[in-house]
Amino acid sequence: NPITDARGRAVKVVEYATDITDQKLRNADFEGQLAAIDKAQAIIEFDLDGTVRTANDNFLRALGYSLEEIRGRHHRTFVDAEAAAGEEYRAFWRKLGRGEFDSGLYKRLGKDGRAIWIQASYNPILDASGRPYKVVKYASDVTAQVLLAQQLKEAVTQSQEAVKLAIDGDLTRRIPLDGKTGEIEALC
């Protein structure tokens, strides 16, 4: 800021400054963390009523949609009709609307109707007054792990049945190997 004398001539310059280094470092850290989460997670944002606001590429790829196909649609797009019509589903959205967090393993449906299992957290985001105004879901596709666990459970049940029959003297029982590989195939 120039300082002038009575005639309006500049006689000196005074600088006013604020050190914003810490603020810049904090912002860079926040931006870096958000970018890392965006790379690793499937992320989708909803209004409090469940209407889709936006989604990242990981989410869109996992479920097979484009953003234009889901923006403005309700979350029930990703849930089977029976579950979406239930009281538990409505209670889920009321809970989120109150600002309460929810996490767990969820079955969702892709665009092609296939089941997709996600490990996810639904996180209400609060405004400056502390009121929820949107929900952000962070998710990982765990379909392969869930299907493997289901296959293992089935193989164990089939093996137990075969062993029980063998104990009773019936050695004719065979466990089908179709679709089984690795350790599960070896167990069977």
Side-chain angles (χ1 to χ4, degrees):
N1 290 324
I3 305 298
T4 58
D5 63 15
R7 295 184 181 151
R9 292 181 301 195
V11 291
K12 64 180 175 180
V13 174
V14 176
E15 179 180 351
Y16 298 99
T18 303
D19 183 355
I20 60 169
T21 303
D22 288 342
Q23 178 184 347
K24 288 287 192 181
L25 290 172
R26 227 179 2 264
N27 286 347
D29 181 53
F30 291 152
E31 289 173 13
Q33 288 184 45
L34 289 173
I37 292 168
D38 188 58
K39 287 179 192 173
Q41 297 279 287
I43 304 169
I44 186 168
E45 294 184 15
F46 303 95
D47 288 327
L48 293 180
D49 67 355
T51 302
V52 175
R53 295 167 66 114
T54 191
N56 75 352
D57 288 338
N58 292 337
F59 180 89
L60 298 169
R61 259 192 314 279
L63 276 80
Y65 286 98
S66 70
L67 185 56
E68 293 74 30
E69 290 175 300
I70 63 169
R71 183 180 279 138
R73 292 180 65 187
H74 195 272
H75 176 270
R76 74 178 61 85
T77 301
F78 315 116
V79 180
D80 69 63
E82 184 178 332
E87 175 54 32
E88 187 175 329
Y89 184 74
R90 288 188 297 277
F92 170 77
W93 279 102
R94 285 193 302 269
K95 174 182 175 180
L96 294 171
R98 291 190 304 267
E100 298 175 35
F101 164 88
D102 194 86
S103 70
L105 179 66
Y106 305 93
K107 179 183 177 185
R108 297 297 181 242
L109 300 177
K111 179 179 178 179
D112 59 4
R114 68 187 156 84
I116 298 165
W117 290 91
I118 58 169
Q119 185 69 45
S121 65
Y122 288 79
N123 306 276
I125 306 299
L126 309 179
D127 65 15
S129 301
R131 291 183 303 261
Y133 73 96
K134 70 178 181 178
V135 174
V136 179
K137 176 174 73 174
Y138 298 100
S140 295
D141 183 349
V142 293
T143 304
Q145 295 92 320
V146 169
L147 295 177
L148 185 61
Q150 290 172 346
Q151 188 180 45
L152 179 59
K153 182 179 177 182
E154 179 184 350
V156 168
T157 299
Q158 291 171 334
S159 298
Q160 289 172 330
E161 291 168 358
V163 168
K164 184 177 181 316
L165 289 171
I167 289 170
D168 293 340
D170 181 352
L171 301 178
T172 62
R173 172 67 181 218
R174 297 290 178 258
I175 301 170
L177 298 179
D178 297 340
K180 296 179 174 97
T181 61
E183 296 296 321
I184 294 175
E185 182 181 33
L187 170 68
C188 294

